[in-house]
Amino acid sequence: MVGRQSAEDRKAQIVAEMLRLADEIGPDRLSTTDVARAIGISQPAIFRHFPTKGALWLAVAEDIAARLRARWTVAEQGAAAPEARLRALIRAQLTAISETPALPSILFSRELQVNNPALRDVFRGLLGSFQGRLVAAIRDQQAESGLRHDASPQDVALLLTSLVQGVAIRWTLGARNFSLEQEGLRLLDVQLVLLTAQEGVINEETR
Amino acid sequence: MVGRQSAEDRKAQIVAEMLRLADEIGPDRLSTTDVARAIGISQPAIFRHFPTKGALWLAVAEDIAARLRARWTVAEQGAAAPEARLRALIRAQLTAISETPALPSILFSRELQVNNPALRDVFRGLLGSFQGRLVAAIRDQQAESGLRHDASPQDVALLLTSLVQGVAIRWTLGARNFSLEQEGLRLLDVQLVLLTAQEGVINEETR
DNA sequence: TAGATTAGTGAGCGATAACTAACAAGAGGT
DNA sequence: ACCTCTTGTTAGTTATCGCTCACTAATCTA
């Protein structure tokens, strides 16, 4: 019972609770009643701040997007060398997912996939932007000859985002009983070793 | 209007329609009314064949599991050499996903994540089993020196399943506007090149 | 301090969810 | 032709969904 609050604060509170409950209840079964009850206001009060539930989801998406972009920028600024930048970007993504565990489910929610094309566009742009930053870092590192040249920066970026997504899936299905960041960074190291080995040299056993 | 059918046939029909509609409508928004209407029977008729909706989901999961396992076995039997076996397993997985496009969404549905622990166990076992088959193939190929030894079979298997999952995610989010199998096998080739390069040889530029 | 603005309420709308109860009708065996 | 088991129906249950309405009460401003 906190009493009346400014619209700005209440909006932020609703968005935050929405994210928290999306993980607990699931994005597509999360109702405005759930959110209202968790905050301690009446259910219609939600609609004083957001015209429709779809608009509320959009606000949630934009909150996520803003936080992710901020994280990426910090990661890039804090790491000068391309390899450090690559690691920092991946680490930022892993941290973001572990702090917003509803993220994978939201990506596959019906709200996003069918009901709310605007929501889908936000996340598509977001993933594309991350991919772009990875490609840039990889290209820089290839230019420094820190990475083999026989895989395109685009493909390497795809392999690395897949790595993150794969770890996230395992983490989610496995009841989150391991550290997402630790396991993700460990696998990143494995993959980076593969990527830094000298190119074009093949064991004589393989044709 | 096909009229009365045997319980066995009807059950199979309901499960199949459930899978088809799970993709169209979304696993968590798919109702028994949707399924009944698509088949052409009344909604309560569903409950003559399955005691609860949860039981119906479980039947769907077991149908998926059976089909996947059959595919894996065929893939393994049709390919003698470890590398061919590895490719066949990945290809089987890609084909299965493209034929059952609801699969990724089901993995992240609340039905699986929250409501139905039994469902979750089925898929967890399924992924573990696939992982195991990959590990076996990778170990065999390493023994033939067809793969570098500086990454453990377990980790390589994780990278490969992540590859499949990453492609599947991109395919789903990108409105499925490319061939899942083609793109997946292309990336598999890229990763296999990284994995077959001679180990322990590093460019002199990198410290 | 009066008046306007705005956050929040309780009651209730139509739609839809999973599921039940009572009853009808097709199919096979005798 | 009758009986029985099984597959199906129609009608109805309770619960919950997003959302609207008429209204109250807290806060801001003149």
Side-chain angles (χ1 to χ4, degrees):
Chain A
M1 194 74 81
V2 193
R4 217 177 126 107
Q5 282 195 309
S6 79
E8 196 186 0
D9 289 355
R10 197 57 104 186
K11 271 188 172 179
Q13 192 183 4
I14 292 172
V15 165
E17 203 62 38
M18 191 88 171
L19 255 176
R20 199 183 64 79
L21 288 175
D23 180 49
E24 212 170 279
I25 297 179
D28 282 329
R29 300 223 182 152
L30 176 56
S31 70
T32 52
T33 308
D34 296 323
V35 179
R37 187 162 35 218
I39 293 180
I41 57 177
S42 71
Q43 181 261 351
I46 303 282
F47 290 93
R48 173 145 323 261
H49 300 286
F50 299 94
T52 65
K53 203 191 179 187
L56 172 49
W57 269 118
L58 215 56
V60 170
E62 261 143 30
D63 179 74
I64 293 175
R67 288 213 321 275
L68 275 183
R69 277 193 278 259
R71 240 177 224 293
W72 296 339
T73 304
V74 168
E76 286 179 331
Q77 287 174 346
E83 179 173 348
R85 189 149 38 107
L86 206 52
R87 278 181 206 274
L89 278 171
I90 300 283
R91 180 199 294 274
Q93 200 73 337
L94 292 166
T95 306
I97 294 173
S98 75
E99 281 179 3
T100 314
L103 238 168
S105 324
I106 292 175
L107 270 190
F108 284 96
S109 67
R110 209 26 49 170
E111 182 66 32
L112 182 143
Q113 291 284 343
V114 177
N115 276 28
N116 204 332
L119 198 66
R120 187 177 173 137
D121 291 342
V122 170
F123 278 97
R124 229 173 13 212
L126 210 54
L127 280 189
S129 167
F130 184 67
Q131 187 78 10
R133 289 171 194 245
L134 281 189
V135 167
I138 292 162
R139 201 193 314 271
D140 288 357
Q141 203 183 347
Q142 276 188 344
E144 288 189 2
S145 292
L147 279 186
R148 32 198 296 178
H149 292 70
D150 56 348
S152 77
Q154 282 79 14
D155 286 349
V156 173
L158 289 178
L159 289 176
L160 293 183
T161 50
S162 292
L163 188 155
V164 172
Q165 289 160 350
V167 178
I169 289 179
R170 252 191 317 135
W171 184 65
T172 304
L173 282 183
R176 298 171 186 157
N177 52 11
F178 59 88
S179 159
L180 180 70
E181 284 145 288
Q182 213 172 307
E183 173 70 359
L185 290 174
R186 190 186 70 78
L187 277 175
L188 176 61
D189 279 338
V190 173
Q191 180 72 290
L192 284 178
V193 166
L194 300 180
L195 283 164
T196 48
Q198 191 176 48
E199 59 195 284
V201 183
I202 308 287
N203 279 342
E204 63 259 16
E205 285 92 343
T206 69
R207 119 209 54 246
Chain B
M1 197 71 85
V2 194
R4 223 176 122 106
Q5 283 195 312
S6 78
E8 196 185 359
D9 289 356
R10 196 58 103 189
K11 270 188 173 179
Q13 192 183 5
I14 292 172
V15 165
E17 203 63 37
M18 192 87 172
L19 255 177
R20 200 183 64 79
L21 288 175
D23 180 49
E24 214 170 277
I25 298 178
D28 283 331
R29 299 220 181 156
L30 177 57
S31 69
T32 52
T33 308
D34 296 324
V35 179
R37 186 163 35 219
I39 293 181
I41 57 176
S42 70
Q43 181 261 349
I46 303 281
F47 290 93
R48 168 130 346 244
H49 300 285
F50 299 94
T52 66
K53 202 192 179 187
L56 172 49
W57 269 117
L58 214 57
V60 170
E62 261 143 31
D63 178 75
I64 293 175
R67 288 213 321 274
L68 274 183
R69 277 193 278 261
R71 241 177 222 293
W72 296 339
T73 303
V74 168
E76 286 179 332
Q77 287 174 344
E83 179 173 348
R85 190 151 36 109
L86 205 53
R87 279 181 204 273
L89 278 171
I90 301 283
R91 180 200 295 273
Q93 199 74 336
L94 291 167
T95 305
I97 294 173
S98 74
E99 281 178 3
T100 314
L103 238 167
S105 326
I106 292 175
L107 270 190
F108 285 97
S109 67
R110 154 163 167 155
E111 180 67 33
L112 181 144
Q113 292 283 342
V114 179
N115 273 25
N116 205 330
L119 198 66
R120 187 176 173 139
D121 291 342
V122 170
F123 279 96
R124 207 145 62 192
L126 210 54
L127 278 189
S129 166
F130 183 68
Q131 186 78 12
R133 289 171 193 244
L134 282 188
V135 168
I138 292 162
R139 201 192 314 272
D140 289 355
Q141 202 183 349
Q142 276 187 345
E144 288 189 3
S145 292
L147 280 186
R148 29 197 299 179
H149 292 70
D150 55 348
S152 77
Q154 282 78 14
D155 286 348
V156 173
L158 289 178
L159 289 177
L160 293 184
T161 50
S162 292
L163 188 156
V164 172
Q165 289 161 350
V167 177
I169 290 179
R170 248 189 322 133
W171 183 65
T172 304
L173 288 183
R176 298 172 186 157
N177 51 12
F178 60 86
S179 160
L180 180 70
E181 285 146 287
Q182 214 173 306
E183 174 70 359
L185 290 174
R186 190 186 70 79
L187 277 174
L188 175 61
D189 280 337
V190 173
Q191 180 75 65
L192 283 178
V193 167
L194 300 180
L195 282 164
T196 48
Q198 191 176 50
E199 59 196 285
V201 183
I202 308 285
N203 279 342
E204 64 259 17
E205 285 93 341
T206 69
R207 119 206 57 240

